[in-house]
Amino acid sequence: MTDSTSTTPIRIGVQLQPQHADYSAIRDAVLRAEDLGVDMIFNWDHFYPLYGDPDGKHFECWTMLGAWAEQTERVEIGALVTCGGYRNPDLLADMARTVDHMSGGRLILGIGSGWFAKDYENYGYDFGTAGSRLDLLGEYLPRIRDRFAQLNPAPTREIPVMIGGGGERKTLRYVAEYAHIWHAFGDLETMTHKSAVLDRHCADLGRDTAAIARSTSAPADVTDTAQADALVDLGFSMFTVGVGGPDYDLDALASWVRWRDSRVG
C-alpha cells in the first residue's frame, strides 16, 4: 500500500466540461480557475454532452487544449481523459508534444479506452467491446511512448501519462507499466482495493508504486473533508472538481483550493 506519510503535495484540478456553453464562457472559466490558484485544468474528450440536452452545445478537446496552452501561464492542462480509440497513437503523441511545447511543458496526457458509444458510432469509429477497446489501448501506449522518443524537437519534458480506469487485469496493469498518474473512481473501500491491486502489478513489474501519482474526483460535498483526508492517507494527492456549462460555477472549486491550502504546513 502507498505510504500514508508521504509528503507529496496535494494538488487541486478542475474539469471544465466543454458542454452547454459558448466558447467565450469556457475561456473565461479557464482564466477564473487559474486565478483561483488551481494546479490543473482539464476538459474531456467527447463529441456530445454527457448530461443535459444530448444534442446541446459541445466543443472538441484537443483544439481547445492548444488554445488553453496559449491562454494560461502556470497551470498544467490536459484531457480527463483522451479516448485512445479516436486517433492514430503516433499522431496523438505528436499532438501532445506540440501542446507540450505551446504550453512551455505543462501538458498532462490523460488517456483511457473510451466508453461512450454515441461518440464512436456518430463519428465513424469502431466501438467494439470493452475488451477490444482495452486491448487497443494496450497496443497504443507503447507506440505513444516510442513516438515521443522519435519526435524532433523532443517534448520539453517526459510528458506525464495519466491513465483513467480501474479494471484490475488490464487497465491497472497498463497503469503500472506506462503511467505517471492513475485517475481512479469509486468510494473509499473500492479505492483501497484497487490501490492494492495496482501495488501488486507494480511489484510484478519491479516498479516503485510511489512513482505513480494517484488522482480522483473531489468529493461532491465540499464539507466532506474527512473523506478527502482519508483518500490522502491512502496515497491520493490529486483531486479534481467537475464543472459544466453554461455558467461554470467555481464555488466548490474554491472550497477545495482552501482545503488544499489548509493542509500546507
Side-chain angles (χ1 to χ4, degrees):
M1 177 179 274
T2 303
D3 182 2
S4 64
T5 64
S6 171
T7 58
T8 302
I10 295 170
R11 306 177 70 212
I12 297 294
V14 61
Q15 183 190 57
L16 298 175
Q17 300 157 357
Q19 60 177 8
H20 307 308
D22 293 330
Y23 186 71
S24 59
I26 298 173
R27 183 173 57 235
D28 175 70
V30 171
L31 288 173
R32 290 190 288 123
E34 188 167 45
D35 287 347
L36 272 177
V38 301
D39 301 291
M40 306 157 293
I41 304 178
F42 300 108
N43 58 12
W44 65 28
D45 194 16
H46 295 285
F47 305 132
Y48 298 93
L50 295 187
Y51 56 87
D53 179 0
D55 296 313
K57 295 176 181 178
H58 200 278
F59 290 98
E60 193 275 329
C61 166
W62 275 91
T63 44
M64 185 179 296
L65 289 176
W68 290 4
E70 294 284 356
Q71 177 186 351
T72 56
E73 298 179 352
R74 176 187 55 78
V75 293
E76 290 190 293
I77 59 173
L80 185 60
V81 291
T82 293
C83 176
Y86 296 162
R87 301 171 186 87
N88 173 287
D90 296 86
L91 172 61
L92 179 60
D94 204 341
M95 292 162 57
R97 181 280 309 255
T98 300
V99 176
D100 165 68
H101 276 264
M102 293 170 69
S103 65
R106 293 182 288 114
L107 178 78
I108 295 171
L109 177 55
I111 192 166
S113 61
W115 61 272
F116 192 37
K118 183 177 179 179
D119 287 332
Y120 285 80
E121 293 165 356
N122 285 13
Y123 274 63
Y125 296 105
D126 179 19
F127 186 56
T129 66
S132 68
R133 293 193 300 277
L134 279 168
D135 289 343
L136 191 64
L137 179 63
E139 294 173 15
Y140 280 8
L141 287 164
R143 287 179 59 180
I144 291 169
R145 177 198 59 199
D146 294 346
R147 181 56 58 184
F148 280 153
Q150 299 173 49
L151 291 168
N152 184 14
T156 66
R157 63 172 179 168
E158 184 177 10
I159 295 175
V161 173
M162 174 173 62
I163 296 178
E168 296 182 16
R169 187 170 64 87
K170 294 181 180 179
T171 302
L172 292 180
R173 178 77 177 193
Y174 299 157
V175 172
E177 187 167 1
Y178 298 106
H180 305 82
I181 305 166
W182 169 46
H183 188 79
F185 309 91
D187 58 22
L188 184 62
E189 181 180 0
T190 299
M191 300 288 218
T192 301
H193 172 72
K194 300 288 187 181
S195 290
V197 174
L198 176 58
D199 289 345
R200 290 196 293 272
H201 282 304
C202 286
D204 290 344
L205 292 168
R207 188 174 183 196
D208 180 4
T209 188
I212 302 171
R214 303 188 188 211
S215 169
T216 190
S217 299
D221 181 355
V222 298
T223 67
D224 193 4
T225 56
Q227 180 183 354
D229 290 337
L231 287 165
V232 172
D233 290 342
L234 186 59
F236 284 80
S237 61
M238 296 171 60
F239 297 85
T240 297
V241 178
V243 183
D247 298 326
Y248 295 102
D249 182 347
L250 302 185
D251 286 351
L253 179 64
S255 293
W256 286 111
V257 169
R258 289 192 293 271
W259 169 77
R260 177 201 67 192
D261 294 345
S262 73
R263 293 184 56 98
V264 176

